[in-house]
Amino acid sequence: MAFTGAEMSELTVEINTQNLERAIRLFPKDLKYEIADGMDHISRKFLKVFKQTRLQGPPGIKGRPHGIFTHFSRASLVSQDIEGMGMVIFSDSKIARMHEEGATVKNPGGGKLAVPLSARRELFTADGRLKKQYRQPRLIKNVIPIQIRGKTFLARIIKKARQILPLFVLKNSVRIKPRLMFYQTWDDMQNERIMILNKSVEKALSKV
């Protein structure tokens, strides 16, 4: 998966083209340096905003240490011509793609998915992750399938208390809604991108 930023050919329509053409004519080397610095600034700023707004929980998703964010990278597109300069921000994470585009998750083996019940807080760590001992539901002791209102649950039998405690619901599939909003975050920063690149051009022209 590649989340692409924008090449210089796209950005020229957004910035002050009169200043840009003048800078290309008078200071092509200085302009290349300033444009590259501006694009680096844009990519760093974008990833910072993306992390702060989309990876802190609803309405986005909850990022974890060593999680989705670490799979995003940025790189500069090198070119002899200013028009060919650009940058790319990308990720090869299949999980990130699912959260960006939405997806329907099914059991690869064809069976049902055991989805933990969010109301059972004892299943989760303080930061919302499923505890290790609950990651293989069918290996949990004293757990049996039960039917409640047409749905199948995996429930723990608590003999001493004579209770049956549902822990998981079995589903054919789980629908993941698109909540990452990577591209939307990029689009929302359009004005800031223009401002940063205009400043880069002005820096090159300040050498007059």
Side-chain angles (χ1 to χ4, degrees):
M1 175 177 62
F3 290 134
T4 306
E7 294 184 0
M8 185 58 194
S9 58
E10 297 176 12
L11 290 171
T12 53
V13 299
E14 299 178 348
I15 67 176
N16 187 321
T17 54
Q18 185 175 359
N19 278 354
L20 177 64
E21 291 170 359
R22 185 176 175 221
I24 291 174
R25 185 175 68 255
L26 297 176
F27 305 104
K29 290 184 179 180
D30 292 313
L31 179 61
K32 281 187 67 175
Y33 172 82
E34 296 297 346
I35 289 293
D37 186 63
M39 288 185 172
D40 180 70
H41 183 187
I42 289 172
S43 64
R44 285 186 288 107
K45 178 68 174 179
F46 166 76
L47 287 174
K48 180 179 180 180
V49 171
F50 175 62
K51 183 178 182 180
Q52 291 176 339
T53 61
R54 305 309 308 173
L55 297 176
Q56 303 301 319
I61 66 173
K62 181 64 176 178
R64 313 290 182 195
H66 312 295
I68 283 180
F69 187 72
T70 61
H71 292 275
F72 284 90
S73 301
R74 59 193 182 95
S76 298
L77 304 179
V78 180
S79 173
Q80 295 295 325
D81 303 314
I82 291 175
E83 290 79 2
M85 295 176 64
M87 62 180 166
V88 61
I89 303 171
F90 60 95
S91 171
D92 60 357
S93 168
K94 293 180 180 180
I95 301 299
R97 175 185 284 277
M98 287 195 296
H99 283 294
E100 175 68 19
E101 300 176 354
T104 298
V105 180
K106 296 182 178 181
N107 187 333
K112 292 183 179 290
L113 296 172
V115 181
L117 299 175
S118 58
R120 299 301 178 203
R121 296 185 179 181
E122 65 271 23
L123 303 182
F124 304 95
T125 62
D127 60 357
R129 288 179 292 178
L130 189 64
K131 291 180 179 178
K132 186 177 180 179
Q133 64 266 37
Y134 296 111
R135 293 177 188 173
Q136 293 181 288
R138 288 177 174 82
L139 298 182
I140 302 173
K141 293 182 179 180
N142 299 319
V143 167
I144 61 171
I146 62 171
Q147 291 281 333
I148 301 177
R149 296 180 181 177
K151 295 182 179 180
T152 302
F153 294 82
L154 294 181
R156 171 182 284 164
I157 299 174
I158 305 176
K159 295 181 179 179
K160 290 183 179 181
R162 295 183 179 181
Q163 290 182 340
I164 296 179
L165 187 66
L167 301 178
F168 301 84
V169 60
L170 298 183
K171 293 187 175 184
N172 293 322
S173 63
V174 174
R175 177 63 185 168
I176 296 178
K177 296 180 180 180
R179 294 188 296 159
L180 196 58
M181 303 300 177
F182 182 92
Y183 292 110
Q184 185 62 54
T185 304
W186 174 263
D187 290 342
D188 290 344
M189 290 183 62
Q190 177 178 336
N191 290 338
E192 193 162 1
R193 298 199 313 266
I194 295 172
M195 181 182 67
I196 291 172
L197 286 178
N198 277 332
K199 285 185 178 179
S200 296
V201 175
E202 290 169 4
K203 284 183 181 179
L205 286 175
S206 68
K207 302 181 184 298
V208 176

